[in-house]
Amino acid sequence: MRKSRAAAAIVAVLATAVAASPAAAQTTPGGPWSQPNQNESLSSIRGYDELVKTMRQYVQRSSGAARFTWGTYRAKGSGRQIPIVSVGSGDRKMVIIANQHGNELTVSNSALEIIRALTSDASGAKAIRDELTLTIIPRVNVDGFDATPTGSPWRQNVDPFSCSPCPAFYEEDTGYDINRYHSYLTSDPRDDPNTGPVTTGQGDNPVPEALTVRDAYDAAGGGDKVEVVLDLHHQGSYVDPDGSLVTAATTWPNATATADALGIRPQFDQDVETSKKVVSTLLTATDGKGYANFSRYPGTLPPGISRNAYGLLGSASVLIEMRGDIGQKSNGYIAKTAYVASASVIDALADGSLYRTSTARAEALKERGPGVDADE
């Protein structure tokens, strides 16, 4: 299996570029991960129209190596479509989603940079495209990002509806938390994961953004296994017991009770093991990088969380939480860190080294201290 030389050089190149300054990025000839003018896009936040335009531009320059599509469902409030890009034609399948929560802005840029890197004509990008088919949704929550009608980003999608009692994970006059509504049933991708017995599909999921992600996931597999899913988020500010700032967190699926109820515990345990390999991979890649002090996210148990849902569906499924709301310059560092973490997993899946990775780094990761946010 082929591997990009630039991918192998990612540690040497990005250790200097990220730790020094976002403005210090370098370019490795032939490689996908260090591109000219990369930092400009990492430090800027695109509106909906600019996001779509940028994604289309990257696809257009790919000479057919990438495809732009719209999600199968429209956003809850505005009815706008959710843009998706697929890159490559390899047998191994991977999905990256970002910005499920509208006020978690910067990780959308990380996902965009993955698209830009892999649609280039660099030899490393071509080698990865030969091995992988990668589906990327940089902004799942297109409405929460714009927070129609107030103009201020909020976490939920947009659904100005009064309710008593309200549905699960719903905030009155604001909307649903998209990341609690992913169906984990193979038999019913449109199930509401918060109602009914786990073995009975109801087909009543009220969140179109979550339905779009599930459909994109199913389409990405095309009947085959999606091997890895990465879900990019932001978290608040936390401090380790030694006083150092926690700037990122990560974890793997933990819905063991649901796996038991579905009778899929052996498969689920294997996917958890592979998820830990993903975490070990990204921890190694981000060692010494700016804003890369990782802790283990104290993940909650609902099976409709994407991390759990796609683990239950048979993928290695990993959450990456980056610290947010800390200013434009720092956001550039954070976007770069999420980008490096994602790129390292892409490399490892493309050359097969992911499956030879030890889980020791992941298992040794200390849990993030308690906080006031329920971020995931």
Side-chain angles (χ1 to χ4, degrees):
M1 191 150 315
R2 291 164 289 183
K3 178 168 182 176
S4 160
R5 292 184 179 181
I10 189 171
V11 173
V13 173
L14 292 178
T16 301
V18 180
S21 165
Q26 303 176 29
T27 300
T28 301
W33 301 128
S34 291
Q35 298 289 323
N37 301 319
Q38 183 182 76
N39 299 301
E40 178 183 350
S41 56
L42 284 175
S43 62
S44 62
I45 302 296
R46 293 174 175 83
Y48 177 79
D49 291 338
E50 187 180 4
L51 173 80
V52 172
K53 179 182 177 181
T54 301
M55 292 171 70
R56 286 189 180 277
Q57 287 173 339
Y58 292 162
V59 168
Q60 185 174 12
R61 76 172 189 170
S62 75
S63 301
R67 287 79 58 199
F68 179 97
T69 58
W70 294 109
T72 50
Y73 295 83
R74 293 176 178 266
K76 183 78 173 179
S78 68
R80 289 183 298 186
Q81 294 173 288
I82 299 169
I84 302 171
V85 165
S86 297
V87 187
S89 57
D91 291 338
R92 288 181 159 164
K93 312 298 174 58
M94 180 172 172
V95 173
I96 296 177
I97 62 176
N99 214 166
Q100 285 202 72
H101 298 136
N103 60 352
E104 299 176 4
L105 310 178
T106 307
V107 288
S108 183
N109 285 343
S110 308
L112 273 177
E113 283 302 288
I114 293 294
I115 297 173
R116 171 148 80 169
L118 293 183
T119 53
S120 76
D121 61 0
S123 59
K126 294 176 181 177
I128 289 171
R129 295 196 302 258
D130 285 344
E131 304 297 344
L132 300 184
T133 301
L134 184 62
T135 298
I136 305 171
I137 312 178
R139 184 169 300 153
V140 174
N141 192 351
V142 295
D143 280 359
F145 177 88
D146 290 334
T148 308
T150 69
S152 176
W154 61 44
R155 177 181 172 88
Q156 290 82 4
N157 66 7
V158 173
D159 188 23
F161 174 72
S162 296
C163 51
S164 181
C166 288
F169 306 112
Y170 184 93
E171 185 172 318
E172 187 173 17
D173 204 34
T174 301
Y176 290 92
D177 184 338
I178 296 167
N179 196 30
R180 297 296 189 278
Y181 276 87
H182 296 271
S183 172
Y184 53 86
L185 298 176
T186 56
S187 60
D188 190 354
R190 291 160 181 77
D191 180 54
D192 180 344
N194 301 296
T195 61
V198 296
T199 54
T200 303
Q202 303 296 322
D204 54 358
N205 193 320
V207 183
E209 296 90 345
L211 289 168
T212 287
V213 175
R214 173 62 192 271
D215 276 10
Y217 171 88
D218 289 343
D224 297 325
K225 178 184 178 72
V226 174
E227 295 183 49
V228 176
V229 176
L230 296 182
D231 184 16
L232 309 184
H233 285 260
H234 287 221
Q235 62 179 3
S237 297
Y238 298 87
V239 178
D240 281 334
D242 65 3
S244 59
L245 182 67
V246 174
T247 56
T250 182
T251 195
W252 44 85
N254 63 351
T256 52
T258 304
D260 287 338
L262 292 172
I264 58 168
R265 184 63 180 271
Q267 168 231 293
F268 183 73
D269 287 347
Q270 183 58 57
D271 292 326
V272 169
E273 184 80 358
T274 307
S275 299
K276 291 179 181 179
K277 293 175 185 288
V278 170
V279 169
S280 290
T281 297
L282 67 88
L283 290 175
T284 299
T286 55
D287 274 346
K289 307 300 185 299
Y291 289 92
N293 179 27
F294 272 86
S295 63
R296 181 163 59 85
Y297 189 88
T300 52
L301 298 174
I305 291 175
S306 62
R307 164 182 54 83
N308 279 328
Y310 298 111
L312 291 164
L313 286 167
S315 299
S317 182
V318 169
L319 167 75
I320 300 175
E321 292 259 4
M322 302 303 304
R323 184 177 176 230
D325 300 324
I326 56 175
Q328 184 173 1
K329 181 178 180 180
S330 294
N331 278 342
Y333 285 106
I334 282 176
K336 176 69 75 131
T337 301
Y339 169 68
V340 172
S342 301
S344 71
V345 178
I346 292 169
D347 288 338
L349 182 60
D351 73 356
S353 63
L354 175 68
Y355 295 99
R356 300 188 296 273
T357 301
S358 169
T359 62
R361 285 293 305 272
E363 291 168 347
L365 193 62
K366 294 182 179 180
E367 186 171 298
R368 190 195 72 184
V372 297
D373 301 69
D375 303 292
E376 184 188 353

